[in-house]
Amino acid sequence: MFENSSAISILRSVDRHRRFLIMIRCGSTVRPSLFRGPLANDRNFDVAVNYFAPPHAEDFFYQHAEFLVAGGLSKFQAAKQFVHAGVLDKYEGFYFLDDDIELHFDPARFLAYCCEKGFAIAQAALTYPSDSAWKIAFHHPGFEYRLTNFVEVMAPYFSRKFVVDVVDDFDISISTWGLDVFWGSRLGTDHAAAIVDCFQMSHLKKRDFATGAYYAYLRSLGIDCFKEMKEVMTALGIDSYPIRLRGAAEIVQVIRV
């Protein structure tokens, strides 16, 4: 039942909904501390867990998350199907988490903050021991938040309005490579993207392109993440993407294919 597949199965759902939804794509490993036990009943978010492998024995949300979802080929490919299964108009915002993220804050506060600020898409800043390819994502102590044109795929918050704009393209990259560039390309003057420095998270697991389980899985599907990123950028008509703060001339980093 709990395995990678092209389609998802929704095994548990609820009829009453809180303001926000957190969706986590999960394997069999134990997850960070936030998700090891009960959450407050008066929280402002529901939880959907999407398993691609049998749950760990200590996985509290296997029994208690509001939504239990099996299958999907990858995080956002599965999320597209789930969002279109009837929850799009139920929530004010959506938070799509990898299962190895450690949040150093109450997600209820972060979700309410992002909604209050009117962010279309946002992420908490990364602690410096974290692993990430993107310089802009790391915590900057001089800011409450920074408006930018880039939010990465590991833990993005989306407003409902922006999800409506981009969800149909969640599966243009099964590996997720290039999705962050695609989202950035869809930001208009009425869409704000932010790295939120007053909230921090950690991503300590190192990327392993050679022997890592995720990249081995992609290869088993015949998927080349670098090729997928190139295809996304080619479809956008670009061969590079400058990451910068909103309104700033200085380029922090450039994505090239």
Side-chain angles (χ1 to χ4, degrees), residues 100-151:
D100 58 352
I101 298 293
E102 180 74 72
L103 304 180
H104 303 296
F105 54 84
D106 179 352
R109 290 182 55 242
F110 175 73
L111 292 165
Y113 180 91
C114 290
C115 188
E116 177 186 338
K117 294 296 184 183
F119 298 143
I121 186 171
Q123 70 171 85
L126 285 167
T127 58
Y128 277 93
S130 297
D131 183 66
S132 175
W134 313 118
K135 298 176 184 178
I136 202 166
F138 286 89
H139 178 246
H140 195 303
F143 290 87
E144 181 178 332
Y145 63 85
R146 289 162 287 147
L147 295 181
T148 179
N149 64 346
F150 184 85
V151 168

Side-chain angles (χ1 to χ4, degrees), residues 156-181:
Y157 160 87
F158 288 79
S159 69
R160 178 169 58 198
K161 181 180 178 181
F162 198 55
V163 166
V164 169
D165 287 348
V166 299
V167 68
D168 283 339
D169 294 293
F170 269 12
D171 55 359
I172 59 173
S173 173
I174 300 302
S175 68
T176 75
W177 282 46
L179 283 180
D180 32 30
V181 173

Side-chain angles (χ1 to χ4, degrees), residues 17-21 44 87-95 111-112 114-116 119-120 157-163:
H17 306 89
R18 296 177 173 90
R19 289 181 63 193
F20 304 102
L21 179 73
N44 63 7
V87 302
L88 182 57
D89 63 343
K90 307 298 184 186
Y91 296 100
E92 296 178 45
F94 298 80
Y95 197 17
L111 292 165
C114 290
C115 188
E116 177 186 338
F119 298 143
Y157 160 87
F158 288 79
S159 69
R160 178 169 58 198
K161 181 180 178 181
F162 198 55
V163 166

Side-chain angles (χ1 to χ4, degrees), residues 54-71:
H56 188 277
E58 298 178 16
D59 192 330
F60 173 82
F61 283 139
Y62 171 58
Q63 295 290 341
H64 299 285
E66 281 75 24
F67 296 91
L68 179 64
V69 184

